[in-house]
């Protein structure tokens, strides 16, 4: 019996035929969509973590191509196509001009910022976002990210396509980790052995006024650079701090994020191949060894404390999920609960939510936490909390945290 022709109207799900029963044209479109996402997962780390403009453009084009051909193939769950559109549409409220009285009501923090910057000369209108350009760029990235998510949700119901995505992410984990070991941090600050991260002044090589902020660590040196002369005018440019550089990533924390987001998938692939009574403990041991090595790489190689902690959390959560029924699952579940509780307590201490908890920490841990609490970034956390409490509903605009802090 022939299958009914699928509809091309977004939001209307066609018949749910099996992949083997699909028309050839639709099979190729869906496979091409998954192929684009798998290629983006592998090429993303090589594009300096997506920090370079051309790298971001390449990743976005691959996601856009996957989304486009997915829509042409008449998705089984057509309502998913509306999710990126709906979220991006709601976020656009942040860049729409609003009357100042309404802005003061829904986003008082933004209202005060606009009044301070423009001396109150806003013409009676202003936006929720305190940097509309940055917010528009962030909304675009949210749209692409959600588009990749819904395409994966719809097409990866088929195990073969799901396997392709999983293998691509696992290979990406090997790529990120391997490049990090092959090209560690170095005194020359060369990324991948050839990309120079040093600034233009030997006296302050860790700063630059020539590289775009998105290609640096995102921090500004407190002191301004020497005036830059352009014709008869002089300008003072902020010194953007370059990244520390490890593997293919400009910023070590980004490298850590690449590790703990992809490594569990790679280890899951290994555990999948090591099933059965003989490998029951062998697979668990391999997973623990790989996670321990990754934590060491992130801690000692990338010098990322938060990244190492996140990798530890990923490890215990993975082991709790992957453990078989019975004693092993209960034990790993308890370890997972204790780890998450400890992380919550440390977070509360760092953010100043519960300063009294510092006295409850063990003697071997309290001094290190006390030193870490002197980190100037603690002030940035408090600034973010203060901004959120003043505008909890609409915020100050996506992508504006750096401006606020």
């Amino acid at each position: 019996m022939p299958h009914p022709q699928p509809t091309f109207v977004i939001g209307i799900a066609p018949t749910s035929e099996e992949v083997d029963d699909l028309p050839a044209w639709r099979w190729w479109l869906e496979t091409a969509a998954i192929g684009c996402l798998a290629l983006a997962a592998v090429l993303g780390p090589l594009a300096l973590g997506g920090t370079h403009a051309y790298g971001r453009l390449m990743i976005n084009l691959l996601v856009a191509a996957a989304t486009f051909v997915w829509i042409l193939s008449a998705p089984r769950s057509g309502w998913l196509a509306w999710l990126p559109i709906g979220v991006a549409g709601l976020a656009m409220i942040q860049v729409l001009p609003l009357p100042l009285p309404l802005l003061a009501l829904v986003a008082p923090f933004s209202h005060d910022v606009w009044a301070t910057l423009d001396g109150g000369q806003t013409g009676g209108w202003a936006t929720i976002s305190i940097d509309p350009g940055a917010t528009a760029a962030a909304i675009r990235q949210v749209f692409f990210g959600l588009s990749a998510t819904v395409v994966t949700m719809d097409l990866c119901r088929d195990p073969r396509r799901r396997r392709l995505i999983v293998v691509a992410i696992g290979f990406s984990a090997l790529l990120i980790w391997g490049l990090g070991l092959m090209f560690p941090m170095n005194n020359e600050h060369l990324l991948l052995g050839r990309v120079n991260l040093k600034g233009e002044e030997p006296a302050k090589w860790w700063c630059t006024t020539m590289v775009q902020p998105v290609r640096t660590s995102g921090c500004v040196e407190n002191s301004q650079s020497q005036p830059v002369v352009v014709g008869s005018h002089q300008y003072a440019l902020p010194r953007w701090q370059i990244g520390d550089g490890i593997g293919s990533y400009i910023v070590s924390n980004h490298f850590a994020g690449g590790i703990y987001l992809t490594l569990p998938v790679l280890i899951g692939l290994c555990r999948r191949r090591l099933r059965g009574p003989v490998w029951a403990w062998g697979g668990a041991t391999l997973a623990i060894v790989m996670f321990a090595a990754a934590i060491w790489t992130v801690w000692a190689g990338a010098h990322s404390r938060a990244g190492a902690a996140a990798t530890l959390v990923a490890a215990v959560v993975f082991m709790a999920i992957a453990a078989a029924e019975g004693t092993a699952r209960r034990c790993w579940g308890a370890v997972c609960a204790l780890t998450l509780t400890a992380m919550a307590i440390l977070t509360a201490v760092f953010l100043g939510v519960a300063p009294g908890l510092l006295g409850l920490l063990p003697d071997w841990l309290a001094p290190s936490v006390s030193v870490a609490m002197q980190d100037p970034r603690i002030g940035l956390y408090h600034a973010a909390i203060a901004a959120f409490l003043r505008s909890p509903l609409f915020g100050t605009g996506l992508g504006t945290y750096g401006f606020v802090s």
Side-chain angles (χ1 to χ4, degrees), residues 185 244 246 251-260 294-312 377:
M185 291 184 184
D244 29 27
I246 178 171
V251 184
S252 58
N253 282 338
H254 295 177
F255 169 81
I259 289 290
Y260 63 69
I295 293 172
W296 177 85
T297 302
V298 173
W299 177 275
H303 304 161
S304 175
R305 295 169 297 183
T311 308
L312 174 62
R377 288 176 291 186

Side-chain angles (χ1 to χ4, degrees), residues 40-50 59 172-173 175-176 179 192 247-249 262:
V42 174
L43 294 181
L46 291 178
L48 304 185
I59 297 171
S172 181
L175 187 66
I176 296 169
L179 289 176
L192 296 176
S248 59
Y249 285 86
T262 60

Side-chain angles (χ1 to χ4, degrees), residues 154-176:
D154 187 60
L155 297 185
C156 285
R157 299 173 184 180
D158 175 60
R160 287 168 295 185
R161 290 180 181 147
R162 184 165 61 247
R163 192 176 302 118
L164 176 60
I165 286 290
V166 169
V167 169
I169 297 175
F171 181 76
S172 181
L174 287 175
L175 187 66
I176 296 169

Side-chain angles (χ1 to χ4, degrees), residues 144-344:
F144 283 127
L146 288 176
S147 297
T149 301
V150 299
V151 172
T152 304
M153 290 171 61
D154 187 60
L155 297 185
C156 285
R157 299 173 184 180
D158 175 60
R160 287 168 295 185
R161 290 180 181 147
R162 184 165 61 247
R163 192 176 302 118
L164 176 60
I165 286 290
V166 169
V167 169
I169 297 175
F171 181 76
S172 181
L174 287 175
L175 187 66
I176 296 169
W177 199 359
L179 289 176
L181 295 175
M182 291 174 58
F183 301 99
M185 291 184 184
N186 54 82
N187 295 331
E188 291 77 20
H189 283 260
L190 288 177
L191 198 65
L192 296 176
R194 56 187 302 141
V195 181
N196 188 4
L197 295 180
K198 285 188 177 181
E200 72 281 359
E201 298 181 33
K204 287 194 173 184
W205 55 263
W206 64 90
C207 296
T208 177
T209 58
M210 305 301 293
V211 179
Q212 300 177 34
V214 293
R215 293 179 57 193
T216 68
S217 62
C219 300
V220 181
E221 176 72 5
N222 292 330
S223 61
Q224 297 290 324
S225 66
Q226 296 296 323
V228 176
V229 178
V230 180
S232 59
H233 300 277
Q234 290 185 347
Y235 302 91
L237 298 179
R239 296 177 182 268
W240 291 98
Q241 295 185 6
I242 63 172
D244 29 27
I246 178 171
S248 59
Y249 285 86
I250 292 177
V251 184
S252 58
N253 282 338
H254 295 177
F255 169 81
I259 289 290
Y260 63 69
L261 288 175
T262 60
L263 186 62
V265 177
L266 174 63
I267 296 178
L269 282 172
C270 297
R271 290 291 300 270
R272 180 78 175 175
R273 295 299 177 184
L274 300 178
R275 291 181 298 174
V278 176
W279 282 103
W281 287 98
T285 302
L286 176 64
I288 293 174
V289 170
M290 291 180 68
F291 273 120
I295 293 172
W296 177 85
T297 302
V298 173
W299 177 275
H303 304 161
S304 175
R305 295 169 297 183
T311 308
L312 174 62
V313 172
V316 295
V317 171
F318 175 89
M319 296 303 296
I321 294 174
E325 295 289 345
T327 304
R329 171 159 292 191
R330 288 192 293 270
C331 289
W332 279 112
V335 173
C336 180
L338 290 174
T339 303
L340 294 178
T341 301
M343 296 300 298

Side-chain angles (χ1 to χ4, degrees), residues 331-394:
C331 289
W332 279 112
V335 173
C336 180
L338 290 174
T339 303
L340 294 178
T341 301
M343 296 300 298
I345 292 175
L346 289 176
T347 302
V349 172
F350 282 128
L351 298 182
V353 177
L357 292 176
L358 184 61
L360 302 178
L361 297 177
D363 294 338
W364 59 271
L365 182 60
S368 299
V369 175
S370 299
V371 172
M373 290 183 65
Q374 306 304 317
D375 193 305
R377 288 176 291 186
I378 299 295
L380 300 180
Y381 301 151
H382 294 163
I385 293 174
F388 171 76
L389 293 177
R390 291 209 62 192
S391 300
L393 185 59
F394 294 99

Side-chain angles (χ1 to χ4, degrees), residues 53-138:
Y54 292 119
R56 293 196 309 276
L57 177 62
M58 174 198 67
I59 297 171
N60 288 341
L61 287 177
L62 286 172
V63 174
T67 306
F68 179 72
V69 297
W70 171 69
I71 292 176
L72 287 182
S73 69
R76 296 168 181 77
S77 298
W79 64 270
L80 284 175
W82 291 106
L83 179 61
I85 298 173
V87 172
L90 288 175
M92 289 297 293
I93 296 175
Q94 295 181 330
V95 296
L96 294 179
L98 300 176
L100 287 181
L102 179 59
L103 184 63
L105 180 64
V106 300
F109 187 92
S110 300
H111 174 272
D112 295 345
V113 169
W114 282 115
T116 301
L117 292 179
D118 292 345
Q121 304 300 317
T122 60
W125 296 76
T127 59
I128 293 174
S129 173
I130 58 178
D131 188 347
T135 298

